[in-house]
Amino acid sequence: MARIIAGIGSSHVPAIGAAIDNGKTEEPYWKRIFSGFEKSQAWMRETKPDVAIVVYNDHASAFSVEMIPTFALGCAAEFPPADEGWGPRPVPVVKGYPSLASHIAQSVILDEFDLTICNKMEVDHGMTVPMNLLFGKVDKNAHWPCPVIPLAVNVVMYPPPTGHRCYMLGKAIRKAVESYPEDLNVVIFGTGGLSHQISGPRAGLINSKWDKAFLDNLSKDPQKLAKVPHVDYMREAGAEGIEMVMWLVMRGALDDKVDEVYRFYTVPASNTAVGHIILANRPRTAKPAGGYKHAAKHKPAAKHKRAAARAKPALIRSR
Ligand SMILES: [Fe+2]
């Protein structure tokens, strides 16, 4: 049986790809960002997933304003890097996993999520930048460490899918993966964001408070996060902050309770806040971390806290 073992959230800032491609990763401005992914790359080398599902958005590379699927699943054998205006990035062609991708398409569509099936698709920085951040720089003539199934989500033209729809799609993807007979360890990426706005009077907007709360809720209370409406993303995280709903596909594919393996946040990269998180499902055959006593330990504490709150009058903060 295939299984999803972990989810990875990562920004996909195009300038990060340009820094890699132009040999600028050791420059102080960029080193601050790349050093935040060193532990993640070590984790990835150790984890050695068999397949990665990368949820990202196309930036008018494979699609255009003439045709934008809400969800598009890459079922091809390979996905060449797209020319985004200055030639394709010097990264290897992404090898797909057509049999698993087709299985996911069948399972998810029969579960009433109407994906567009792409048997030919180029992929842009939305996908290849997070792959570089997690797998490191890979020579154009070499191979990415594992096959990848791309899932493109429309967040460029209104209306994008809701956070809740993305979250539920993640659950459907998990069900699909777990009904695939091959023994595979799968990781799923949610990419994009965090807060940023590229144009208009609020260009340059970054909201670290919002971003950090998003990461906290992604880890501990994704159902609350799934209820956040589009307008809140737009208002708090900027027009392009809506990319963050894609992280909810990743989160929906994980257990309700996960272990946060790693988190990194820095401002800025280009005009964007960079966020990154690794969340791991707990092995099903093992006891939860710390044993079952762990959960029991928290119940009295929460109960005690509520009782204490009831017993005390509300505090009025002095100014
Ligand atoms: Fe983007």
Side-chain angles (χ1 to χ4, degrees):
M1 181 188 97
R3 69 202 69 79
I4 293 180
I5 56 169
I8 296 149
S10 172
S11 299
H12 62 213
V13 188
I16 291 177
I20 296 168
D21 301 343
N22 295 305
K24 294 183 176 178
T25 56
E26 291 300 312
E27 292 181 4
Y29 179 89
W30 291 110
K31 194 165 178 58
R32 168 181 55 88
I33 294 153
F34 289 107
S35 62
F37 287 83
E38 285 169 2
K39 285 183 181 166
S40 313
Q41 291 183 13
W43 176 87
M44 192 62 99
R45 282 193 297 273
E46 196 176 314
T47 302
K48 291 188 179 64
D50 298 304
V51 189
I53 299 169
V54 179
V55 184
Y56 75 109
N57 69 286
D58 178 78
H59 302 76
S61 303
F63 312 117
S64 72
V65 289
E66 293 174 356
M67 186 166 51
I68 306 179
T70 300
F71 297 113
L73 188 72
C75 295
E78 58 181 38
F79 306 93
D83 183 347
E84 299 181 60
W86 45 89
R89 288 195 63 213
V91 294
V93 168
V94 177
K95 300 292 182 187
Y97 205 118
S99 56
L100 176 57
S102 300
H103 175 83
I104 291 172
Q106 174 176 299
S107 177
V108 167
I109 290 169
L110 295 181
D111 272 343
E112 302 179 350
F113 287 88
D114 305 318
L115 305 185
T116 298
I117 294 170
C118 294
N119 292 321
K120 185 178 180 186
M121 183 166 71
E122 294 183 345
V123 291
D124 68 15
H125 73 270
M127 195 169 112
T128 59
V129 164
M131 287 174 63
N132 273 136
L133 286 170
L134 272 295
F135 294 126
K137 182 175 167 68
V138 183
D139 186 83
K140 184 185 170 186
N141 299 312
H143 298 283
W144 293 106
C146 68
V148 175
I149 298 173
L151 174 64
V153 179
N154 169 38
V155 289
V156 299
M157 178 173 271
Y158 189 82
T162 62
H164 182 256
R165 184 70 169 162
C166 290
Y167 185 65
M168 296 311 289
L169 175 60
K171 289 187 176 297
I173 289 171
R174 177 191 181 135
K175 183 181 163 194
V177 168
E178 291 184 348
S179 62
Y180 188 69
E182 215 176 323
D183 185 21
L184 298 172
N185 284 330
V186 180
V187 295
I188 180 165
F189 286 56
T191 75
L194 294 180
S195 60
H196 65 301
Q197 176 145 341
I198 292 172
S199 58
R202 296 202 307 161
L205 177 147
I206 288 176
N207 185 344
S208 296
K209 193 176 168 194
W210 160 275
D211 291 337
K212 288 173 183 174
F214 181 89
L215 293 172
D216 287 344
N217 282 324
L218 192 76
S219 186
K220 296 197 173 80
D221 196 356
Q223 291 176 359
K224 179 180 173 188
L225 208 54
K227 291 176 189 155
V228 174
H230 285 150
V231 68
D232 286 11
Y233 286 93
M234 300 289 280
R235 186 187 299 118
E236 300 293 335
E240 281 72 31
I242 193 63
E243 289 184 344
M244 294 160 85
V245 295
M246 295 186 289
W247 292 43
L248 285 164
V249 180
M250 172 272 279
R251 186 62 183 89
L254 303 178
D255 291 344
D256 290 345
K257 289 191 190 309
V258 291
D259 291 324
E260 185 173 324
V261 176
Y262 182 64
R263 184 192 297 204
F264 173 63
Y265 181 83
T266 189
V267 171
S270 185
N271 56 359
T272 308
V274 169
H276 169 45
I277 202 165
I278 299 177
L279 302 171
N281 278 341
R282 294 168 182 174
R284 290 188 185 179
T285 51
K287 285 182 180 180
Y292 293 109
K293 284 178 188 170
H294 183 70
K297 215 165 72 181
H298 279 77
K299 279 182 187 168
K303 199 174 160 187
H304 176 74
K305 207 173 165 185
R306 282 196 298 275
R310 276 198 300 272
K312 282 185 182 176
L315 290 173
I316 298 170
R317 194 179 295 274
S318 57
R319 291 173 187 271

